[in-house]
Amino acid sequence: SGAEGSSVMTDKRFINGPKSWMLGLALISTFGFSALTLADWRQAQRQTIVHGVQAVLMCNGLFTSHRSLTQVFDQELKYLEPPRFDGARGTAAKGPYQVDWASRSVTVGTDAPETAVTAIFREGFSCMVLPPATETTSEVLQALPDAPTPFARDVAAADDWPYGDHVVIEQPNDVDQAALLQAAEWAFEPAVAEQMTVSLLITRGERVLLERYAPGFDAATRTRTWSTAKSIASTLIGMLVEDGLLSLDDSLPVDWLPELAASEADPRSGITLRHVLHMASGLYPVDSSRMEYQSGSGLAYWAGESSAMAARRRGLVRAPGTFWDYENYDTLLAIYAMRRVLPDVQSYHHYPSQRLLKKLGMHQTLIGADRFGDFILSSQVYSNARDLGRLGLLYLNEGVWKGERLISKDWIDFIRTPAPVTTNPRAQYGGQWWLVPNDRTDIPKDAYATAGSRGQFVIVVPSHQVVIVRRGLDYGLQGFNYWDLTREVLKALPPAR
């Protein structure tokens, strides 16, 4: 691309003197920019990330989702097809990868050892990615963080939804069943081949109106939430705010890198929790500049870099709170702040399960971490439709679960209020939750939703007492419109009172 050509031209090889410039011009004249792209030192980094994406998706597909290699190649790895990537390496039969069933690990890039990446399943964490060219020796495994002890499954299968997994599909007289089924067909049989719905759950209050799965999936199948994880992160942060351990408008408790001689002189000390939750930190943009699969958070997601260290290295380029810029690192800064205010690593690792997952009975949900033990709560969460439906119901119930208040009404008001930044697109972003765009009139304005890549949505519509969970394995560039799905579902319900 043009951006790659420009970056290569600033390489030191082309600015150290006239001879270097002449060599550069000769290369351009003879081979064009393609030769420079091949010479780009970041090519190996990009290839590492491509290998890492496949390793993580394969590892989690096999050992977290318990799917077959054929299913993983046909569906999870469909995401890697052009124009996004160069395609998955190999087939379900063979390829430059290795699956170690004993250690529950996957290595991709066995034909290019210097950029090969291994992802290994860790009980309680899902799959953890190792740095490139790392072998899973006993020393390497011992250096990985210990996962929190999986909590006992205390949601009884015989108990009724949502406190158990006994689901009875309700058919209330005031629900248009034909319209409801038509909405499901709209989701499962889209006109666009790139959209693949794997599960759909629709509830009203505590009643399940519809639950449906694609072939190869069922109620127990957990898949990656992608950025729906950000809304789970926001929920946990809200609990810390309620506990008085964090404050929306205090300076973010982050030790910025590199360390300066006088910490008070660091302009990043003006960044608050509110700023990062609004995606308005003012820090150097990475993900919004289409570099997420070449550098930045992509290195933490797929190549074994520390998510916390890299997030703290970005420099300030705008005044905090003045510009909306969707960045994974902003969420990861909030999660790093969570680690900083909790007393120790063990408390940090147990906090999500003790404060949220166990209380809601989200027993199928795993929160992933990098190899340094920092939660990658901007994307790396594996869950299923029912668990995410419980999260939606918690918000529908204004933060109360089984009579216990888990999140405050003030926090729900915060996440549902548009970020007060002029560049907030169509006023549709709140506190790590998405809001109804201000130019849509066919959706109740009180609706709000999580949103993750490949079509992961939890939609809460308080005026209709409805929660909609749609899980997908979409691929390509044409995404699934969750507000259109909301419109179709609400056609089956009576008008709000």
Side-chain angles (χ1 to χ4, degrees), residues 43-59 77 80 85 87-89 96-97 106-119 129-130 132-133 293 302-303:
Q43 184 179 9
Q45 180 170 296
R46 287 193 294 270
Q47 191 60 52
T48 296
I49 291 177
V50 169
H51 287 162
V53 173
Q54 181 169 337
V56 171
L57 295 182
M58 285 181 68
C59 178
L77 299 186
L80 301 185
F85 286 114
R89 306 204 63 198
Y97 63 82
V106 175
T107 301
V108 176
T110 53
D111 59 340
E114 68 280 0
T115 61
V117 175
T118 297
V129 62
L130 304 180
Y293 291 102
W302 318 111

Side-chain angles (χ1 to χ4, degrees), residues 371-385:
R371 63 191 177 95
F372 302 94
D374 286 296
F375 287 124
I376 308 181
L377 258 164
S378 54
S379 178
Q380 180 76 354
V381 173
Y382 274 73
S383 189
N384 59 18

Side-chain angles (χ1 to χ4, degrees), residues 33-368:
F33 277 100
S34 61
L36 297 180
T37 301
L38 290 174
D40 187 348
W41 62 270
R42 289 169 301 179
Q43 184 179 9
Q45 180 170 296
R46 287 193 294 270
Q47 191 60 52
T48 296
I49 291 177
V50 169
H51 287 162
V53 173
Q54 181 169 337
V56 171
L57 295 182
M58 285 181 68
C59 178
N60 279 305
L62 293 173
F63 304 116
T64 303
S65 302
H66 304 295
R67 289 163 54 71
S68 69
L69 264 176
T70 298
Q71 290 172 324
V72 169
F73 268 88
D74 287 349
Q75 296 171 336
E76 273 84 350
L77 299 186
K78 192 76 171 177
Y79 179 71
L80 301 185
E81 289 190 352
R84 190 175 294 273
F85 286 114
D86 294 331
R89 306 204 63 198
T91 66
K94 62 179 180 178
Y97 63 82
Q98 180 180 359
V99 178
D100 187 329
W101 299 95
S103 67
R104 293 185 288 183
S105 67
V106 175
T107 301
V108 176
T110 53
D111 59 340
E114 68 280 0
T115 61
V117 175
T118 297
I120 182 166
F121 183 82
R122 301 288 286 176
E123 199 71 49
F125 275 140
S126 74
C127 290
M128 191 171 288
V129 62
L130 304 180
T134 300
E135 296 183 6
T136 54
T137 63
S138 58
E139 291 79 11
V140 168
L141 296 180
Q142 289 173 4
L144 295 177
D146 292 327
T149 304
F151 56 87
R153 179 174 177 172
D154 55 3
V155 175
D159 290 346
D160 290 338
W161 163 269
Y163 308 114
D165 276 334
H166 179 240
V167 170
V168 176
I169 304 300
E170 303 275 357
Q171 295 186 349
N173 293 332
D174 61 347
V175 175
D176 186 333
Q177 293 299 319
L180 192 65
L181 292 176
Q182 187 173 1
E185 289 301 316
W186 185 92
F188 278 90
E189 303 294 337
V192 179
E194 295 175 346
Q195 297 174 2
M196 178 187 173
T197 298
V198 302
S199 60
L200 181 65
L201 177 70
I202 302 171
T203 67
R204 188 172 65 171
E206 295 186 354
R207 294 183 172 185
V208 177
L209 301 182
L210 185 142
E211 184 179 30
R212 178 173 166 182
Y213 298 92
F217 298 83
D218 59 30
T221 306
R222 50 192 178 194
T223 55
R224 188 183 179 100
T225 65
W226 297 85
S227 286
T228 275
K230 292 179 171 69
S231 302
I232 299 174
S234 178
T235 305
L236 295 167
I237 294 298
M239 292 174 170
L240 290 169
V241 170
E242 184 68 15
D243 291 343
L245 296 176
L246 285 172
S247 173
L248 274 174
D249 296 309
D250 286 348
S251 179
L252 203 62
V254 166
D255 50 335
W256 299 101
L257 299 175
E259 295 181 7
L260 302 179
S263 59
E264 65 274 12
D266 194 324
R268 294 172 293 184
S269 63
I271 300 173
T272 66
L273 181 63
R274 187 186 300 271
H275 292 147
V276 295
L277 293 180
H278 278 161
M279 296 292 187
S281 67
L283 294 170
Y284 181 80
V286 178
D287 297 325
S288 63
S289 59
R290 299 183 179 178
M291 296 292 288
E292 69 268 31
Y293 291 102
Q294 300 183 49
S295 63
S297 60
L299 292 170
Y301 283 8
W302 318 111
E305 187 176 65
S306 163
S307 59
M309 289 186 66
R312 291 147 56 208
R313 290 195 195 106
R314 291 190 298 159
L316 201 65
V317 297
R318 297 184 178 94
T322 63
F323 193 88
W324 186 87
D325 175 50
Y326 190 87
E327 295 288 337
N328 294 320
Y329 275 152
D330 278 14
T331 307
L332 291 172
L333 283 172
I335 296 306
Y336 181 68
M338 178 173 83
R339 180 165 183 165
R340 295 266 290 176
V341 299
L342 290 171
D344 50 46
V345 172
Q346 186 178 18
S347 300
Y348 169 72
H349 283 163
H350 283 83
Y351 192 84
S353 60
Q354 290 177 344
R355 287 300 304 273
L356 180 66
L357 304 183
K358 185 174 183 178
K359 289 180 182 293
L360 294 189
M362 295 176 67
H363 51 266
Q364 292 284 0
T365 299
L366 293 178
I367 298 178

